[in-house]
Amino acid sequence: MKLIGNYLSPFARRVAISLNELGIAHEMENVMVSKNPEAVSGHNPLIRIPTLILDDGEVLVESFAILDAIDEMAGAEKALVPASGADRRRILKITAIALGTMDKTQWAAYEVTFHPAEKVHQPWIDKNENQACGGLAYLNELVEKAGDGWLGRTDNISQADISAVVAFSFARKIRPNLGVEKRFPALAAFAERCEARETFRKAPVPG
Ligand SMILES: N[C@@H](CCC(=O)N[C@@H](CS)C(=O)NCC(=O)O)C(=O)O
């Protein structure tokens, strides 16, 4: 299968890391949508990444839907989100907060990327950054409670851990003004632990 995206995109990166954790072989087609929309437009009408092309040509879009599909392909034993019950709800909630954190971080960055300087609205950036920090604070507190364990209280890494770390590493990279390492030290340490895994190192945030 082929993943269209890039590792700066937290949405594409969480899919790539999840594929690695699930042991699903894939090839990465490195695409920056803003520079090369044609690489995506033929597959995804929204012209967004991640877009996953399966070996039989079927195309999957939207990271949450892709993650759900690859969990199903890997089977219940390996799946990164449990199939049912309180464990599933807990992990989906943490994952949703991590995903919202990615959204808010990206929107703060897009305000500058897609507007000329005189049209940038600083209160909108502040609002989004504040919400992103709310998400990171929640995740930081969970890490403190989890101690040496995983965020969703699972035996092995789950989607909650992957998405939380990807959200943190993305915010650290594209909003250096927020100083997230100092503000959320437990999450920073947890991210360092996860980023050292081979599955994360194979999908590195670009330098
Ligand atoms: N909710 C989507 C968000 C995907 C997304 O926003 N991707 C960005 C890259 S980080 C993109 O393709 N942006 C291009 C655009 O929306 O014009 C997901 O989780 O897959």
Side-chain angles (χ1 to χ4, degrees):
M1 63 178 69
K2 186 161 76 177
L3 177 62
I4 304 179
N6 64 74
Y7 298 139
L8 184 59
S9 160
F11 313 103
R13 187 168 187 244
R14 73 181 187 138
V15 169
I17 293 167
S18 300
L19 287 167
N20 295 339
E21 289 286 349
L22 293 169
I24 299 178
H26 64 281
E27 158 200 345
M28 177 75 167
E29 186 177 327
N30 197 28
V31 170
M32 289 294 278
V33 195
S34 51
K35 294 199 180 119
N36 188 7
E38 295 77 20
V40 191
S41 57
H43 305 290
N44 181 345
L46 295 174
I47 320 178
R48 289 210 296 193
I49 55 159
T51 294
L52 186 69
I53 307 180
L54 304 184
D55 291 341
D56 64 2
E58 186 181 355
V59 178
L60 306 182
V61 301
E62 192 63 47
S63 63
F64 84 83
I66 297 174
L67 292 174
D68 192 57
I70 61 177
D71 257 5
E72 193 191 25
M73 286 173 204
E77 282 288 301
K78 284 187 172 178
L80 294 162
V81 176
S84 64
D87 286 349
R88 177 177 174 82
R89 289 197 298 277
R90 184 169 60 251
I91 284 160
L92 284 179
K93 179 180 175 186
I94 302 167
T95 302
I97 288 171
L99 177 63
T101 302
M102 295 172 202
D103 284 336
K104 293 292 168 181
T105 305
Q106 175 173 262
W107 294 358
Y110 273 3
E111 180 66 15
V112 173
T113 311
F114 291 107
H115 289 133
E118 69 279 11
K119 292 202 170 153
V120 168
H121 188 54
Q122 188 61 41
W124 177 244
I125 295 177
D126 296 344
K127 177 185 184 299
N128 281 289
E129 287 186 340
N130 190 38
Q131 288 169 288
C133 286
L136 293 171
Y138 176 90
L139 297 171
N140 189 68
E141 210 177 304
L142 272 187
V143 174
E144 285 170 353
K145 283 188 194 140
D148 289 340
W150 299 109
L151 298 188
R153 292 185 250 138
T154 44
D155 294 337
N156 295 308
I157 193 166
S158 81
Q159 189 53 241
D161 307 295
I162 295 172
S163 289
V165 169
V166 167
F168 173 82
S169 297
F170 179 58
R172 180 175 52 190
K173 174 72 186 174
I174 68 157
R175 305 311 289 163
N177 56 307
L178 295 177
V180 295
E181 257 169 318
K182 286 216 169 93
R183 277 165 88 166
F184 310 110
L187 182 56
F190 181 68
E192 200 179 329
R193 170 180 145 200
C194 292
E195 291 284 2
R197 290 168 76 87
E198 204 197 339
T199 51
F200 283 68
R201 284 194 283 113
K202 278 162 79 179
V205 175

